[in-house]
């Protein structure tokens, strides 16, 4: 049966790679509703190629012109448009939109009984308890798209959760993995955007360089797999061939290997619980070695912040995420230096009075506050 896939964030890195998966597997997938931000040139390219039934854009002002160009497509806009896309009658919703703006539409899709292919990190970082509890209530699957969580998801398939010893999340180390902290003081934006292994959007590439991305993944793993914090480990693995591992109580370690190609994880989320053919095999005979190093929390402070936020619970992960979103935006705009990203995050986490068991409105209010300049 052909699955209808709707996509929040269709013009971004994950969204465009998801379209590639759909395009190359027309017998398995068709495109449902989509949302885009402000990249109208990319959106029009997509519309000419796919002709989706419903499209939401960020700015209402763009709708009139789009309707005149594509009269057969229904257009909508803004936050309400995101909800329309999320609740469109689909087999699966890929949430690849950037930031906490993805939270409300994800919850709306869950309430509509639509399974989620989750690529929006902020959804679980900011409101993991709310999202996962709602998914359990509605009997909705949350299938991870991040390569690390997809790897864990695959390794745990059919396993007894009582037999898990630890989840081991691998980290490439990002653009500056070979640099000392002292050397980080003079790195440039161009340097930071040059990831050694993966092709990703700007924000996630910066988050990889600071290691905040790995911190987000630790928090996501806690919510997705419901293990103790002490069971979630991170290790440096510069090749990005092993995407994550699971160690069991008998000391067996199961790993998922693959090329640095997000389409593999996207396709698995789309086909789960089955698999279909994909061209881009990993050539094991060409692998010379796989390197692993212990994680240095003094070197990668942002990862330590994430563990601290997860341990504290409540609204601290929300604040950490929002502060990071603000700081990365400032760095991308050239207004702060690289190491000031972590200074801002640490400062805002320290000044926050943590609130346990927050409701959605509290989370969204704090998110808006802490990702502003607060001046």
């Amino acid at each position: 049966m052909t699955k209808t896939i709707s996509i929040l964030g269709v013009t971004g890195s994950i969204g465009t790679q998801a379209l590639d998966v759909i395009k190359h597997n027309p017998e398995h997938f068709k495109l449902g509703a989509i949302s885009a931000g402000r990249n109208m040139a990319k959106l029009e390219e997509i519309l000419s190629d796919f002709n989706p039934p419903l499209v939401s854009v960020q700015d209402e002002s763009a709708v009139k012109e789009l309707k005149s160009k594509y009269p057969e497509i229904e257009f909508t806009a803004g936050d309400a448009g995101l909800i329309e896309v999320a609740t469109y009658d689909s087999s699966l919703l890929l949430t690849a939109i950037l930031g906490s703006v993805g939270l409300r539409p994800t919850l709306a899709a869950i309430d509509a009984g639509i399974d989620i292919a989750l690529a929006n990190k902020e959804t679980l970082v900011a409101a993991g308890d709310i999202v996962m509890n709602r998914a359990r209530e509605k009997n909705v699957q949350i299938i991870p798209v991040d390569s690390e969580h997809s790897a864990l998801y695959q390794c745990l398939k059919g396993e007894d959760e009582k037999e898990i010893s630890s989840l081991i999340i691998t980290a490439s180390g990002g653009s500056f993995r070979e640099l000392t902290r002292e050397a980080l003081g003079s790195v440039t934006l161009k340097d930071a955007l040059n990831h050694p292994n993966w092709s990703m959007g700007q924000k996630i590439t910066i988050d990889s360089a600071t290691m905040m991305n790995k911190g987000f993944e630790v928090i996501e793993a806690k919510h997705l797999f419901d293990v103790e914090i002490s069971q979630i480990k991170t290790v440096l693995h510069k090749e990005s061939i092993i995407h994550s591992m699971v160690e069991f109580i008998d000391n067996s370690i199961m790993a998922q290997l693959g090329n640095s190609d997000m389409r593999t994880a996207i396709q698995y989320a789309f086909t789960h619980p089955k698999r279909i053919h994909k061209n881009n095999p990993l050539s094991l005979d060409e692998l010379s070695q796989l390197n692993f190093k212990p994680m240095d929390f003094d070197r990668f402070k942002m990862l330590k912040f994430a563990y601290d936020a997860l341990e504290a619970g409540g609204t601290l992960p929300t604040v950490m995420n929002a502060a990071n979103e603000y700081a990365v935006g400032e760095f991308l705009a050239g207004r702060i230096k690289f190491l000031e990203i972590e200074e801002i995050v640490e400062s805002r986490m320290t000044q926050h009075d943590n609130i346990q068991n927050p409701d959605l409105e509290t989370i969204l209010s704090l998110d808006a506050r802490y990702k502003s300049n607060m001046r």
Side-chain angles (χ1 to χ4, degrees), residues 271-285:
T271 62
H272 178 268
K274 296 182 178 180
R275 298 179 188 269
I276 60 173
H277 179 75
K278 177 177 173 293
N279 286 318
N280 188 18
L282 176 66
S283 298
L284 290 172
D285 55 349

Side-chain angles (χ1 to χ4, degrees), residues 172-188:
S172 70
S175 310
F176 306 134
R177 63 193 180 196
E178 306 297 338
L179 299 185
T180 63
R181 282 195 62 78
E182 289 72 25
L184 293 175
S186 59
V187 300
T188 67

Side-chain angles (χ1 to χ4, degrees), residues 25-47:
N25 296 280
E27 71 277 23
H28 295 288
F29 314 119
K30 67 177 180 178
L31 186 62
I34 60 174
S35 81
R38 292 193 171 93
N39 190 345
M40 291 297 101
K42 185 63 181 178
L43 176 61
E44 292 199 38
E45 203 178 293
I46 292 166
L47 297 184

Side-chain angles (χ1 to χ4, degrees), residues 93-109:
L93 173 70
L94 171 63
T95 61
I97 197 168
L98 185 65
S100 55
V101 69
L103 185 50
R104 283 194 189 277
T106 299
L107 288 169

Side-chain angles (χ1 to χ4, degrees), residues 301-330:
K301 289 188 176 182
M302 296 281 257
L303 180 55
K304 179 64 164 58
F305 296 164
Y307 273 102
D308 291 342
L310 184 58
E311 193 72 51
T315 52
L316 196 57
T318 302
V319 168
M320 181 196 72
N321 172 68
N324 179 72
E325 189 172 333
Y326 166 74
V328 171
E330 291 293 285

Side-chain angles (χ1 to χ4, degrees), residues 198-252:
W198 295 91
S199 175
M200 305 179 291
Q202 287 192 337
K203 181 181 181 293
I204 192 172
T205 303
I206 301 303
D207 285 342
S208 177
T210 65
M211 204 65 87
M212 179 53 84
N213 188 54
K214 208 53 52 179
F216 288 159
E217 290 170 7
V218 168
I219 295 173
E220 287 180 277
K222 167 64 179 170
H223 291 297
L224 285 167
F225 305 111
D226 195 25
V227 297
E228 298 298 321
I229 299 171
S230 60
Q231 291 178 282
I232 306 172
K233 300 177 181 178
T234 51
V235 63
L236 285 168
H237 169 54
K238 67 181 183 180
E239 292 86 4
S240 295
I241 295 297
I242 293 180
H243 300 304
S244 277
M245 298 173 273
V246 177
E247 183 177 11
F248 295 94
I249 55 176
D250 63 354
N251 305 129
S252 296

Side-chain angles (χ1 to χ4, degrees), residues 165-178:
S165 176
S166 61
L167 308 181
I168 305 169
I169 300 173
T170 58
S172 70
S175 310
F176 306 134
R177 63 193 180 196
E178 306 297 338

